[in-house]
Amino acid sequence: MKKISSLTLRIFLNPLIIFFIFFICCTLQGNAQKGKVKQKDPALAKYEKLTSKYEFSGPFCDGLARVRLNKKWGFIDTTGAVIIPIRYNEVENFSEGIARVRIGQRWGLLEKTGKEIIKPTFQEIGPFINGKAKVLIDGTEYYMNESGVRVDGP
């Protein structure tokens, strides 16, 4: 019978010993943490409470968060009050006080108060860059400002 050399034994046992030490440390650490009560971030807890009744909620942008209920979208403020009614097929987050909204296949623009700047009439409204957005209506592309006035391109 062949004798096992001490080098072979060390090569085999060292990884095995390291594994058991790692396993024991992880088990002890896990047991030590079981008694701890994890504190939730108060801001996160408040956000979860405000948005728990919705199917989806986005981040607060310009003081409003988009929310979805029954496949329709609207906006709430930081107190949870519905500021813009939940009636849109799609909405984008507010940026610089303006949000893009869609009803059916048409896009429009809203102020943070919920007032329509532009009724949903456009096939597409791109993002506003330097106060201008590329729009498409009835097959015609052009640029407009936040008030809906046609302007020269970028």
Side-chain angles (χ1 to χ4, degrees):
M1 191 168 181
K2 207 173 192 186
K3 188 175 181 182
I4 299 174
S5 73
S6 64
L7 178 62
T8 306
L9 195 57
R10 273 188 273 156
I11 291 173
F12 175 73
L13 287 179
N14 281 347
L16 194 61
I17 291 170
I18 291 171
F19 170 76
F20 280 116
I21 291 171
F22 177 76
F23 178 76
I24 290 169
C25 288
C26 289
T27 304
L28 291 176
Q29 183 181 12
N31 288 338
Q33 289 184 356
K34 283 184 181 175
K36 289 183 181 178
V37 176
K38 292 185 179 181
Q39 295 291 328
K40 233 182 204 184
D41 178 14
L44 178 60
K46 180 181 176 186
Y47 176 79
E48 288 176 349
K49 184 178 178 185
L50 291 175
T51 60
S52 64
K53 68 179 179 181
Y54 300 104
E55 299 162 355
F56 179 86
S57 57
F60 281 95
C61 299
D62 288 356
L64 298 176
R66 61 188 174 132
V67 292
R68 183 178 71 195
L69 185 63
N70 299 324
K71 298 182 182 180
K72 296 289 182 179
W73 292 86
F75 290 88
I76 61 170
D77 67 10
T78 56
T79 67
V82 175
I83 301 301
I84 297 171
I86 300 170
R87 66 185 193 101
Y88 297 96
N89 295 102
E90 188 174 350
V91 297
E92 299 288 330
N93 290 329
F94 273 89
S95 176
E96 298 178 25
I98 296 174
R100 296 181 288 167
V101 297
R102 181 174 62 84
I103 294 180
Q105 298 301 313
R106 300 294 176 159
W107 287 88
L109 298 176
L110 290 181
E111 290 180 346
K112 286 174 35 173
T113 61
K115 179 183 173 200
E116 286 185 333
I117 299 170
I118 298 172
K119 291 189 183 298
T121 54
F122 292 90
Q123 292 164 301
E124 292 180 26
I125 299 177
F128 280 88
I129 301 170
N130 297 325
K132 300 175 185 179
K134 190 184 234 182
V135 297
L136 175 67
I137 187 167
D138 299 328
T140 303
E141 268 188 10
Y142 61 89
Y143 286 86
M144 71 174 183
N145 64 17
E146 290 99 341
S147 301
V149 178
R150 190 175 186 154
V151 294
D152 291 332

